[in-house]
Amino acid sequence: MKTGYFKYCVVMWVIWVCCQPALAVVIVGLNGAANTNAPADDPGFNRIGVSQDDLSSVYLGNSWFLTANHNGAPSTVNLDGTNYTHISGTWVQLTNNVGGGIDLAMFKVAGDMPTNILPIRSSSPASGNNVIMIGNGRERTSGLKGWDEYWEDAIFFGFYNGYTYDSTSPYDTSLRWGSNQIESTGLSSNGVTCFSTDFDDNPNEGQATPADSGGGVFIKSGDTWELAGTILYIGEYSGQPSNQIAAFGNLTYMADLSVYRDQIINQRSVTDMDADGISDVEEYIADTDPTDSNSFWQVESQLTLADQTFTFYGSTIRQYQLLYTTNDLADPGLEWITNGTPIWGAGTNTQIIVTNTENTVFYRMQVTLP
Ligand SMILES: [Ca+2]
Ligand SMILES: [Ca+2]
Ligand SMILES: [Ca+2]
């Protein structure tokens, strides 16, 4: 068996076993299209993010996502029906115990995110543990098929059996869950500590397919579902047509997140990556660099008898609104009033000039996403 390495990775294959009628309760049809809604005992179906390129990730909390490093940084992520923008510069590759980069990465998005924090498993799972894997992988298109030992279509009984992926371009993908049991633990794949599952002909059994990389693997501990793994690679048979078939006996490799748990939790707690006092989300709104402590938004003002001139670096993709008040700043009824309409930033020396007719007036500048 060889270990395939795919720059995209998982659809969950749903297996129908016709001699077990009880399975009809959980499997909707023969075409593999089921399991696109959360299972009754939901480990976190709505925590799986889908990038603009249909790649998978998991929302950890505090605006941070975890994914496969080989997915690359997304521009947007859809989570539970809402699109969020990746905050440029927040992509962080995780490392092994000697500081080398591994195939896991975290990134942050802007927007009003769910506040609950996803529990991460603290110990390596054991062989036989039940898992639920969820990813936005490629659809399967065939019913159960058989191939001979040369991977030609079998006439009667297959030497290999399984399903073919959707081969249209662009590929169809779906967010889907599948179940499985852990086969092996303590594996090292591309320098990542992994565990694996084996694709068997069982109801709801899942196997990763392209675009599932970065998807989540959950294990229930007591009453709590914990994130235990990140889907990374597929193991195919030697000679198997690469990246086209999910055959029984194929493997899915998942990063064992208990090994990287401290690193993930530390990164998830970061709100101001460059420690310049301006949070990453505020820097995104101001279009400044969240990884450069010398980059943050500030306004200079110049007062003359007639005019006030406010000068600042204004991003050309952000708008700026001056507000003022004649209240005392300690006034509980303090009210900020807009001065004119928002202007677009114009780079260095963006200016707003006002002619003041008040005895006492306070100003405030606001930067907004257009
Ligand atoms: Ca299995
Ligand atoms: Ca900052
Ligand atoms: Ca900064």
Side-chain angles (χ1 to χ4, degrees):
M1 240 173 251
K2 74 169 186 181
T3 301
Y5 178 95
F6 298 102
K7 291 235 169 200
Y8 21 70
C9 274
V10 198
V11 169
M12 306 305 165
W13 301 101
V14 179
I15 314 307
W16 175 274
V17 181
C18 60
C19 54
Q20 299 182 45
L23 304 180
V25 174
V26 288
I27 299 172
V28 175
L30 295 167
N31 62 359
N35 292 14
T36 54
N37 291 301
D41 185 7
D42 181 15
F45 195 78
N46 64 356
R47 307 289 293 214
I48 310 301
V50 179
S51 79
Q52 79 288 344
D53 294 327
D54 292 327
L55 301 179
S56 306
S57 55
V58 177
Y59 178 57
L60 301 173
N62 200 29
S63 300
W64 284 99
F65 281 78
L66 175 68
T67 190
N69 188 67
H70 70 250
N71 280 352
S75 56
T76 62
V77 178
N78 189 285
L79 185 72
D80 206 15
T82 303
N83 279 323
Y84 298 93
T85 303
H86 168 226
I87 301 177
S88 181
T90 60
W91 180 265
V92 175
Q93 185 179 12
L94 302 192
T95 57
N96 58 25
N97 58 4
V98 291
I102 60 168
D103 198 3
L104 290 171
M106 291 173 64
F107 64 94
K108 204 170 197 178
V109 299
D112 201 10
M113 302 300 294
T115 54
N116 52 339
I117 296 289
L118 192 62
I120 297 169
R121 189 178 166 91
S122 59
S123 61
S124 291
S127 176
N129 281 169
N130 291 313
V131 301
I132 297 259
M133 55 175 100
I134 311 173
N136 187 62
R138 207 188 297 182
E139 296 277 19
R140 81 175 226 219
T141 52
S142 73
L144 187 60
K145 281 192 65 168
W147 296 269
D148 66 18
E149 55 266 61
Y150 306 107
W151 294 96
E152 302 291 340
D153 288 356
I155 297 169
F156 296 110
F157 299 103
F159 185 81
Y160 301 105
N161 294 286
Y163 304 91
T164 51
Y165 303 156
D166 175 30
S167 59
T168 59
S169 182
Y171 305 125
D172 289 333
T173 62
S174 286
L175 188 58
R176 174 170 288 121
W177 64 271
S179 57
N180 212 323
Q181 290 80 41
I182 292 178
E183 193 81 9
S184 303
T185 61
L187 308 169
S188 179
S189 191
N190 293 300
V192 185
T193 303
C194 288
F195 53 82
S196 67
T197 57
D198 183 309
F199 189 37
D200 298 296
D201 192 356
N202 293 323
N204 280 329
E205 184 105 342
Q207 162 71 8
T209 70
D212 279 325
S213 275
V217 183
F218 299 84
I219 295 177
K220 201 169 190 181
S221 176
D223 292 335
T224 305
W225 283 101
E226 296 175 325
L227 182 66
T230 299
I231 297 168
L232 289 182
Y233 313 113
I234 300 166
E236 298 180 331
Y237 290 104
S238 176
Q240 178 176 338
S242 180
N243 212 13
Q244 298 173 34
I245 292 168
F248 297 133
N250 283 171
L251 306 177
T252 302
Y253 291 92
M254 301 98 162
D256 180 350
L257 299 182
S258 68
V259 174
Y260 310 102
R261 183 174 188 266
D262 290 350
Q263 195 179 158
I264 293 167
I265 289 174
N266 281 341
Q267 192 63 44
R268 180 172 62 186
S269 71
V270 172
T271 57
D272 178 8
M273 291 182 74
D274 58 7
D276 61 4
I278 315 294
S279 76
D280 304 323
V281 171
E282 290 171 324
E283 295 218 42
Y284 168 74
I285 293 168
D287 195 27
T288 58
D289 186 346
T291 63
D292 178 357
S293 61
N294 292 313
S295 167
F296 53 86
W297 187 53
Q298 57 188 339
V299 179
E300 296 165 17
S301 66
Q302 181 191 330
L303 277 67
T304 64
L305 276 178
D307 299 324
Q308 279 85 54
T309 303
F310 299 92
T311 307
F312 52 95
Y313 179 86
S315 165
T316 56
I317 52 172
R318 295 291 185 269
Q319 289 188 314
Y320 298 85
Q321 171 73 63
L322 186 69
L323 302 108
Y324 71 96
T325 185
T326 53
N327 301 137
D328 189 285
L329 292 183
D331 186 339
L334 177 66
E335 194 179 352
W336 290 98
I337 300 161
T338 55
N339 180 94
T341 52
I343 64 157
W344 287 95
T348 309
N349 290 323
T350 301
Q351 289 189 331
I352 296 178
I353 302 170
V354 291
T355 301
N356 175 36
T357 56
E358 305 285 351
N359 288 330
T360 306
V361 61
F362 299 97
Y363 292 101
R364 182 158 98 164
M365 190 76 73
Q366 195 171 55
V367 53
T368 55
L369 291 166

